[in-house]
Amino acid sequence: MNSRWPQPGSAPRGLYLITPDEPDTARLLARTAPLLAQGAAWLQYRNKSAGGALRHEQAVALQALCANAGVPLIVNDDVRLAKAVGAAGVHLGEDDGDIAAARALLGTEAIIGSSCYNRLQLAEAAVAAGADYVAFGAFFPTRSKTGTRQATVDLLSRAASLGVPRVAIGGITPDNAHSLIEAGADLVAVISGVYDAPDPAAAVQAYCRCFL
């Protein structure tokens, strides 16, 4: 087991909520605050369309929101932004920088995750470099990201030997999440399945029930 979660049952489990590209900070907070109260395990700040100033503004605001809710905030892609706002950690894609460098900047207590797409070898390398969790996907068709690589469900079970939490992402719904969880997903990462749902709070509850 990874040193971040050394005891059985101590690793995070549940819904890993990811923010949409929302240009209005007040609206982003208003949309997100009720969802944290419904039981999201982690929140990732991701806004691919925002400039640096807006990203900083939103990350600061979300960090305060998450601190109040007791939910770790993970910043997508940007190690320096994660450091600047005091986030719990950072999530890195394959082109977003070195895990060891992120650890050096953020410190030993930071949560560092790595996108491993559909490749177990990437996950093995990420864990060897010090990643605290690995993310695989897309498992199902998704509208949130173009050019995704297709991952197979058995990849989650094959990654059990890595000893770190496994995150599943890509087109996950409360109906199809069960197969991923049964295969070993500790967290399911969702954007549109919650934020675009008719009742986002009810959607969070539905995802959380998948882990019961």
Side-chain angles (χ1 to χ4, degrees), residues 30 44 46 77 93-94 97 100 103 112 114 138 153 157 179-180 190 192:
Q44 182 183 126
R46 178 182 185 272
D77 294 354
E94 61 186 339
R103 177 68 65 201
I112 298 177
S114 178
V153 174
S157 57
S179 64
L180 304 175
V190 178
S192 60

Side-chain angles (χ1 to χ4, degrees), residues 151-179:
T152 56
V153 174
D154 72 295
L155 181 58
L156 292 164
S157 57
R158 289 192 287 126
S161 61
L162 297 176
V164 300
R166 291 154 285 171
V167 176
I169 191 169
I172 301 172
T173 69
D175 292 329
N176 63 31
H178 294 281
S179 64

Side-chain angles (χ1 to χ4, degrees), residues 111-134:
I111 300 168
I112 298 177
S114 178
S115 289
C116 301
Y117 311 100
N118 58 358
R119 295 175 56 194
L120 184 60
Q121 297 90 336
L122 278 180
E124 291 169 342
V127 172
D132 297 302
Y133 72 88
V134 292

Side-chain angles (χ1 to χ4, degrees), residues 72-206:
L73 176 68
I74 311 296
V75 172
N76 181 264
D77 294 354
D78 194 330
V79 179
R80 295 192 179 279
L81 180 59
K83 175 71 171 179
V85 305
V90 69
H91 182 89
L92 300 175
E94 61 186 339
D95 299 319
D96 297 326
D98 181 72
I99 291 172
R103 177 68 65 201
L105 182 64
L106 298 179
T108 58
E109 296 304 310
I111 300 168
I112 298 177
S114 178
S115 289
C116 301
Y117 311 100
N118 58 358
R119 295 175 56 194
L120 184 60
Q121 297 90 336
L122 278 180
E124 291 169 342
V127 172
D132 297 302
Y133 72 88
V134 292
F136 297 107
F139 286 95
F140 306 104
T142 174
R143 294 173 295 162
S144 299
K145 191 173 183 179
T146 59
T148 58
R149 281 160 272 188
Q150 184 72 36
T152 56
V153 174
D154 72 295
L155 181 58
L156 292 164
S157 57
R158 289 192 287 126
S161 61
L162 297 176
V164 300
R166 291 154 285 171
V167 176
I169 191 169
I172 301 172
T173 69
D175 292 329
N176 63 31
H178 294 281
S179 64
L180 304 175
I181 296 166
E182 289 172 1
D186 299 286
L187 299 116
V188 293
V190 178
I191 305 175
S192 60
V194 169
Y195 281 96
D196 291 348
D199 186 339
V204 171
Q205 295 172 1

